Amino acid sequence: MVFTQGYVYKNQNRLSNLNKNLAPLIKECTAECKNLSRMLLAEVEACKQSKLDWQELLNSFAELSPLPVAIVCLESNQILFKNQNLESFFGVESSKTLDKITPDFYANPAEWNQLANQLQSGNYVKNCAVQLKRVNGDTFASKISAKVVNYEGKLAALFIFMDMNTQKLGDAIEITDVQAKLEYVNPAFAQAPVIALQQPETRLHLMERAIAASSNGIILTDPNQPDNPIIYVNPAFETITGYSAAEVIGRNCRFLRGTDHNQPALSELRTAIQEQRECHVILRNYRKDGTLFWHELYLAPVFDALGYLTHFIGVQTDITEHLQALETLRQREEQYRRIVETATEGIWVLDENNQTSFVNQQMATMLGYTTDQMLGATLFSFMDAEGVEIAKTNLERRHQGINETHDFKFRCQDGSDLWAIVSCAPMFDEQGNYAGVLGMITNITDRKLAEAALQESKQRLDGILCSIEDVVWSISADTFETLYLNPAVLKIYGRPASEFFNNLNLWFEVIHPEDQQRVQAAIQPLFLTGNQELEYRIVRPDGQVRWLLNRSHLTYNTSGQPVRIEGIATDITERKQMEEKLVRHAFYDALTGLPNRVLFMDRLGQAIERVKICPDDLFAVLFLDLDRFKVVNDSLGHLVGDQLLVAFAQRLQSCLQPEDIVARLGGDEFTILVSDIKSIDDATRIAEQIHQLLKLPFNLHGYEVFTTASIGIALSTTGYNQPADLLRDADTALYRAKEQGKAWHIVFDTTMYDRAVALLQLETDLRWAIERQELQVFYQPIVSVATGKITGFEALVRWQHPERGLISPSEFIPVAEETGLIVPISQWVLRESCQQLRQWQLQFPAMTPLTINVNLSGKQFSQPHLVEQIDQILQETGLDASSLKLEITESAIITSPEKAASVLEKLKAFGLQLCIDDFGTGYSSLAYLHHFPIDVLKIDRSFVNQIDRDGDQLAIIRAIITLAHNLGMSVVAEGVETINQLVQLRLLECDQAQGYLFSRPLDREKTSALLASKLEF
């Protein structure tokens, strides 16, 4: 606190008056005063001892402070008190001592006088920014906080210095905080009566306020208690750690580290505590909420007057944000370094003496040097004499602070030239003195070489222009006066160049009369766009008409105004004649002379547009395909096939109206656009006429050929906008007509399209199902009829669609057969079922050896590497071949009996068992059975489901079982659903059976549970 001088003088006068009044009393009460004196002396000694103890605490606090602290006499500039940081702050060597802080330590000495006057007047200074000088003369920015104090009876000021360049604590420690501590240490600092501050309660209150106001965490621990517990923490510690004082008092500080006990700084901290010395470490700790924070810890021991350790004082500073800022800075520096090193441009930094202080690798590579070779070298060592003079001029401009970009030529190490674009930015220090220049160098050597080559090419241009056959011309944009014309004009126009120079209107006069208006109208668009291509005719003096392609463009001056029209005129007469021929070929079929697809689709589009205008005008599209045309081609040859197409086209035209269009799309496909019809009956009537026309034979090269056609019909009432949509519907109807049989016609309806789209979508989903593993293998038990025990399973594929749910095999298997997807599906089912059976065999070893029946599709059976694929699957899964039964349909075998017998023999050689699936429904004869190595016959469910009510079916099954047993085969009955059917099969001595009576097909989890239950049917 600060008191006014008047207040001090008033107290001094009051004390003087008291002394005058006390003089008589002292003489009268000598004995009593002596006793009082002895009591006062004892009190003074206690006060001195208290001062010594607090002076020691002041010294500890000053030494732990990360900032320079000093008490300076305002009259003599002598340093009365300081900490160790002060000398290093002003750059004093460790062997010397700083005794004074004079005005010479200020960059502007007048600032010291201003500070001293402000302090002597009773004001304090807080975070004042000044420029200080170190002992070596370097200036630096600093913040000063100061307040006047009475130290050792001298008028002094407490100073705290903060370097603004390396400041980490910000304004964490303020002068008021420190003064509060010093007032507690030495009551004279307060310039107040000593007696008022000698009370222990007052001193303790001030110290608590000082410590509580500090933004640094302060900890006191008692080393004389077990585990050195915490006995005090200030509020800043609670703020930093998130723990309250009540939560930490009595605990060791190690709880802040959590489980992180391997920090290198911990060893230094433990050693310092054991050796009872100070230490400064950086620790990684955790707040109460678990978040990580870093702090600097200044630890110092406290000893009593007898030298015994009483406490440890710890001052912690949260430096988490500082470290994060350093890490961010490091990352940015690394990013900038990578940018500089990977830049495609050269980066070159010169100092004030034009010597290289930095250069990146790209710049060194451009010149053929290493970066070490270039560092320290002057700029002029990388250029020739001419370049040196230019560079000196440019450097003078850099000294003036001018930024600019220019082309410059450097000399490489190998003596070659490097042309570059140099972008310069001068650099200046804080005093505004020139400090060097930063240059960005872009290699443009290739561009310079190209410019030189361009100049050389310009010299050859005139020779080239005189030799080309196109007319190259240039005229004035204002007067249309001819400025340039090459000699080719005589060949194309039939006129010499002089006529065009003499007659300004000749360019327009030679244009064909029918094209003059079009050419005249094209002049204005040319001035708007600047470029134009125009085809027109000219008339030569001999009357010959020639076609020209004239490509012209405008040339502008620097103000953007057009000054010339330049162009090239090419004779395209032959091309135009060829185009007329190509148009014929482009829109008409070369074989039949009918319109082709392009022309037909164009006419169909026009018909659609007419219907939009007149909805009552109907038309129809007929899509025709010759039946058995391939047979004619394969048997009689393509020449006869072509003649058949030509004759068929002629017959089609004979039954159509002139406004109707018949076209050949390709191959044996034809389309007819029937216009102006009243109803669909008109279109079907034409289809019937075509069928009647085809009943007569075609006489082709002595051959009498009969043919028919399938026809699909689509009506315009569908409201389509695109011709392709209508043609697609007609094609869809044609496909359905072929399904119905030959020589048929069908009118399209929307159900056909929906069916086609559904099949296409099903095919697409099925392809994705394989990729997304939506297919599953279900297993239906095969049971011994005699014992009721499970002897094996049939593997059945199921499709769990993500949107439609479980899809029946009867729906997707035909699609898989048609698209060929059945092959990868069958291979996947075979692998999955073999692997699963092997797992069950290992899981249930005590059961009767289980077998697995896997269906082999006809397409899979015809695969060339079927045997090798099955062998590989058996080896990969570890399944014994005898446990696998392959089910093959009769149709797959009978299609090619010789090949089938060979494949079956190879499969049999592996030890596999072979089954004929759905026996009795195929095309095989019983006589074929003994030609194939078949082990099992599976009776189709169509026979089994009527066995208990149809005597004929019972007789057929008895005959099959008897035949199979005579041939050494076993029999499996499919589709067993009732007890009566099972009883009949037992009486017929059928070997095995499967069906819903025993179990529906199950997934692998439920099948495993069924096996675990050891169920017998």
Side-chain angles (χ1 to χ4, degrees), residues 341-372:
E341 292 301 327
T342 58
T344 57
E345 289 81 11
I347 301 176
W348 200 340
V349 181
L350 302 175
D351 61 14
E352 67 274 12
N353 298 319
N354 302 320
Q355 292 180 328
T356 303
S357 59
F358 174 81
V359 65
N360 70 342
Q361 183 61 49
Q362 179 64 16
M363 186 69 252
T365 302
M366 287 183 188
L367 294 174
Y369 294 90
T370 65
T371 55
D372 293 337

Side-chain angles (χ1 to χ4, degrees), residues 345-565:
E345 289 81 11
I347 301 176
W348 200 340
V349 181
L350 302 175
D351 61 14
E352 67 274 12
N353 298 319
N354 302 320
Q355 292 180 328
T356 303
S357 59
F358 174 81
V359 65
N360 70 342
Q361 183 61 49
Q362 179 64 16
M363 186 69 252
T365 302
M366 287 183 188
L367 294 174
Y369 294 90
T370 65
T371 55
D372 293 337
Q373 289 174 325
M374 292 187 66
L375 289 176
T378 65
L379 172 68
F380 307 121
S381 60
F382 302 101
M383 56 188 68
D384 54 20
E386 179 185 2
V388 170
E389 295 302 322
I390 299 174
K392 288 181 179 179
T393 303
N394 292 334
L395 287 172
E396 292 179 0
R397 297 172 62 81
R398 300 296 88 73
H399 281 267
Q400 300 172 14
I402 299 175
N403 292 21
E404 64 181 6
T405 300
H406 58 270
D407 293 357
F408 193 81
K409 182 181 69 175
F410 293 96
R411 179 60 55 86
C412 298
Q413 186 181 32
D414 60 3
S416 61
D417 293 334
L418 171 69
W419 278 98
I421 297 177
V422 181
S423 299
C424 298
M427 300 182 296
F428 298 89
D429 60 18
E430 295 179 355
Q431 287 73 36
N433 299 321
Y434 177 75
V437 62
L438 167 65
M440 299 293 293
I441 317 298
T442 304
N443 189 348
I444 61 169
T445 303
D446 292 341
R447 193 195 77 184
K448 285 292 185 179
L449 295 175
E451 289 175 353
L454 178 61
Q455 182 63 31
E456 182 180 353
S457 67
K458 287 181 179 180
Q459 298 174 359
R460 299 194 299 267
L461 181 59
D462 288 337
I464 295 174
L465 291 176
C466 293
S467 63
I468 64 175
E469 298 182 354
D470 294 337
V471 176
V472 180
W473 53 270
S474 177
I475 63 175
S476 171
D478 295 331
T479 64
F480 296 101
E481 177 186 0
T482 302
L483 304 175
Y484 175 81
L485 194 59
N486 70 335
V489 69
L490 179 61
K491 179 181 178 181
I492 295 179
Y493 281 82
R495 298 175 185 272
S498 59
E499 292 186 17
F500 292 91
F501 283 103
N502 297 329
N503 184 358
L504 299 182
N505 295 324
L506 186 57
W507 288 109
F508 186 75
E509 293 173 357
V510 299
I511 299 174
H512 194 284
E514 295 180 1
D515 296 339
Q516 286 182 358
Q517 184 177 358
R518 182 164 56 87
V519 175
Q520 183 71 29
I523 296 177
Q524 185 64 28
L526 171 62
F527 279 87
L528 295 176
T529 61
N531 294 278
Q532 190 178 80
E533 286 191 3
L534 190 63
E535 294 182 1
Y536 57 88
R537 293 166 291 176
I538 64 170
V539 180
R540 291 163 54 98
D542 58 3
Q544 185 181 6
V545 177
R546 308 292 294 178
W547 273 96
L548 296 184
L549 169 61
N550 195 34
R551 296 182 293 272
S552 55
H553 68 276
L554 286 177
T555 301
Y556 303 88
N557 59 17
T558 55
S559 302
Q561 298 297 321
V563 293
R564 294 190 308 277
I565 304 175

Side-chain angles (χ1 to χ4, degrees), residues 712-715 718 720 728-730 732-733 746-754:
I713 305 172
L715 195 61
T718 51
Y720 289 133
R728 178 202 61 209
D729 289 352
T732 302
I746 289 183
V747 179
F748 173 82
D749 61 57
T750 56
T751 59
M752 298 179 188
Y753 175 75
D754 295 339

Side-chain angles (χ1 to χ4, degrees), residues 944-972:
V944 176
N945 59 20
Q946 299 182 29
I947 190 175
D948 53 352
R949 58 182 182 274
D950 190 334
D952 294 337
Q953 300 293 339
L954 179 62
I956 292 174
I957 294 177
R958 180 184 292 109
I960 293 174
I961 295 175
T962 302
L963 175 63
H965 287 170
N966 290 335
L967 294 176
M969 304 176 188
S970 62
V971 179
V972 178

Side-chain angles (χ1 to χ4, degrees), residues 689-755:
Q689 291 177 12
I690 294 173
H691 291 315
Q692 291 296 326
L693 288 174
L694 294 179
K695 290 183 178 181
L696 299 174
F698 292 90
N699 293 313
L700 309 172
H701 269 287
Y703 296 102
E704 192 176 63
V705 177
F706 287 89
T707 187
T708 57
S710 298
I711 305 173
I713 305 172
L715 195 61
S716 59
T717 54
T718 51
Y720 289 133
N721 293 321
Q722 298 298 326
D725 295 334
L726 202 59
L727 192 64
R728 178 202 61 209
D729 289 352
D731 189 20
T732 302
L734 170 65
Y735 182 76
R736 290 300 305 274
K738 282 187 170 294
E739 289 181 346
Q740 298 295 329
K742 309 300 180 182
W744 201 261
H745 63 271
I746 289 183
V747 179
F748 173 82
D749 61 57
T750 56
T751 59
M752 298 179 188
Y753 175 75
D754 295 339
R755 179 174 177 272

